[in-house]
Amino acid sequence: MSRIKEFNLPDLGEGLTEGEILAWLVKVGDVIELNQPIVEVETAKAAVEIPAKWAGEVRSIFHPEGTTVEVGTPIIAIDTDPGAGPVPESTTAAASADLPTPSAASLAAVQVAPAEGMVEPGLIGGVAPGGRTAVLVGYGPRNGPAKRRQRKDGPPQQPATTPRPAAPAQVATPVPAAPVAPASVAPTGNGNGRAGGPVLAKPPVRKFAKDLGIDLATLTGSGPLGSITRDDVQRAVDGSTVVAEPLAATSPTTSAASFGADREQRIPVKGVRRLTAENMSRSAFTAPHVTEFLTVDVTRAMKALDRLRGRREWRDVRVSPLLLVAKAVLLAVRRHPMVNSTWAGDEIVVKEYVNLGIAAATERGLIVPNIKDAGRLTLRELADAMTGLVQTAKAGRTSPADMSGGTLTITNVGVFGVDTGTPILPPGESAILAFGAVRELPWVHKGKVKPRQVTTLGLSFDHRIIDGELGSKFLRDIGDFLADPEAALLAWT
């Protein structure tokens, strides 16, 4: 058994296909322990540290920082028995040999095409019986002259004077022919210079395009040999894809004014930003959104928070208006459980637990971690959970598990001084509440105009599940709680 073990990038949760290497926590020559963090990787959901599967000495690091690596790709090689002396040359060569870079054509054909001489006879890509090449299933075409069936409606074909071998690595010498004017080939979406050829794209890209309803055949590839990349698909979603057309000469007199690249900034779309874009695009075009608004006098709720902060057992607890909003949402869900549900095609799944998502703005973008089974927590436990959730998010340490399985979400746009908004539903959820800024405004109270603490709520919901009556009652109950928390608790609990 080889001492050198290659560690592949694992799937860090919910079918993620790739991750970006943010930082290596070890270097070549370091002696590491089992489960010691060795690399920090950013996925589409979070930045996580990956522990080592084996103890030993780091022999090779295959990808530098800043590289995006697909799941299952080797990222580091570890000598699991460094005290046994030098590694045999054959073992070192086997562990450090560079794998051949597959061409775009081989990816489209879904077959392995290693470099000649690197595969043993009988293995994929090696020599097979009869002089053929072993491919993924069975054996490849025979090496020999091509044979054609004679056409019934035409003269018999003469055998070719120069046999045309079937092996892709050999090219027959062309027979001189009469000069023919070169034909201009319009660029095509498959990058092979021919209409109707196979579309070149990696399997993760194909899945990404399928999920978004994008036809790869309509895209122009920007990858190697014209292959379609994730960026090409994303540009199609954003509406900026240019469909391939025949090249045409443009008049210099009609060209528009242009500016230099030094006055433009290009920000790579990856990680959390990419996931957010994909989720919002999918949600906006699948769930029919309806948004309702309610302006509430929350003066009594603000006074209740002040009294709560003054209690001895709450003095070390972070108490904010968002805490009361979260409590109001959880109590309203008990009264209207249909709001906490998911559209599943031929059925609606109503959930008896509430994984309450709290949208958080971080340096890496907007993330929505959630508090598991928040409806079972006391107000003090809910306050502690929300504080820990926000602190973890701002530190960039939110795990994929904390952002999975949300059932209902609150977005606090009021912290930015915004009155309210029309939030987009997270995929799989049926409602999201926008909590606006609390402002002192003139308000009619007990027949007189007085300055009162006022806020505006915006509730977006999936109209396939929640009709206008249910959405209105749910929003009204949240407003009633915030208008008078003590009375609502006495009436509902």
Side-chain angles (χ1 to χ4, degrees), residues 246-269:
L247 298 177
T250 58
S251 172
T253 60
T254 61
S255 59
S258 61
F259 298 93
D262 57 337
R263 298 182 63 184
E264 299 176 346
Q265 182 183 10
R266 297 181 179 270
I267 302 175
V269 180

Side-chain angles (χ1 to χ4, degrees), residues 26-30 57-61:
V26 297
K27 60 182 181 297
V28 175
D30 286 356
E57 179 181 343
V58 178
R59 297 302 300 263
S60 301
I61 292 177

Side-chain angles (χ1 to χ4, degrees), residues 53-78:
K53 292 177 60 175
W54 310 284
E57 179 181 343
V58 178
R59 297 302 300 263
S60 301
I61 292 177
F62 299 138
H63 302 280
E65 296 176 356
T67 305
T68 299
V69 182
E70 294 186 3
V71 170
T73 302
I75 59 175
I76 190 173
I78 300 174

Side-chain angles (χ1 to χ4, degrees), residues 177-385:
V180 179
S184 60
V185 180
T188 61
N190 53 25
N192 59 11
R194 296 177 302 160
V199 177
L200 307 183
K202 295 182 179 180
V205 177
R206 294 178 183 273
K207 182 180 183 302
F208 179 46
K210 181 179 179 182
D211 292 341
L212 297 178
I214 300 298
D215 184 3
L216 292 178
T218 64
L219 304 185
T220 300
S222 62
L225 298 180
S227 59
I228 307 297
T229 65
R230 288 179 65 96
D231 291 338
D232 297 331
V233 178
Q234 188 62 50
R235 281 193 291 270
V237 174
D238 298 337
S240 59
T241 299
V242 179
V243 179
E245 296 179 354
L247 298 177
T250 58
S251 172
T253 60
T254 61
S255 59
S258 61
F259 298 93
D262 57 337
R263 298 182 63 184
E264 299 176 346
Q265 182 183 10
R266 297 181 179 270
I267 302 175
V269 180
K270 57 185 179 181
V272 173
R273 189 179 298 273
R274 178 185 292 277
L275 179 67
T276 301
E278 294 172 1
N279 286 344
M280 294 301 98
S281 298
R282 184 167 68 252
S283 177
F285 293 102
T286 31
H289 284 57
V290 173
T291 305
E292 294 184 337
F293 305 96
L294 179 65
T295 303
V296 185
D297 176 5
V298 294
T299 304
R300 290 184 177 179
M302 296 301 103
K303 292 180 179 179
L305 285 178
D306 291 337
R307 293 194 297 270
L308 192 61
R309 294 187 187 101
R311 297 184 65 87
R312 181 173 58 254
E313 61 269 26
W314 281 81
R315 289 176 182 173
D316 59 342
V317 180
R318 176 180 173 82
V319 178
S320 70
L322 183 61
L323 175 61
L324 287 187
V325 174
K327 188 64 177 179
V329 168
L330 294 172
L331 290 176
V333 167
R334 290 185 187 176
R335 293 166 58 82
H336 310 284
M338 193 72 172
V339 172
N340 188 50
S341 58
T342 298
W343 181 267
D346 56 350
E347 60 184 2
I348 296 174
V349 181
V350 182
K351 301 173 182 178
E352 298 180 357
Y353 55 90
V354 181
N355 293 342
L356 185 62
I358 305 294
T362 69
E363 294 181 357
R364 298 174 52 244
L366 177 69
I367 63 175
V368 189
N370 60 79
I371 302 171
K372 301 294 190 284
D373 210 0
R376 294 181 177 272
L377 303 180
T378 65
L379 188 63
R380 173 60 185 269
E381 293 171 340
L382 183 62
D384 292 339

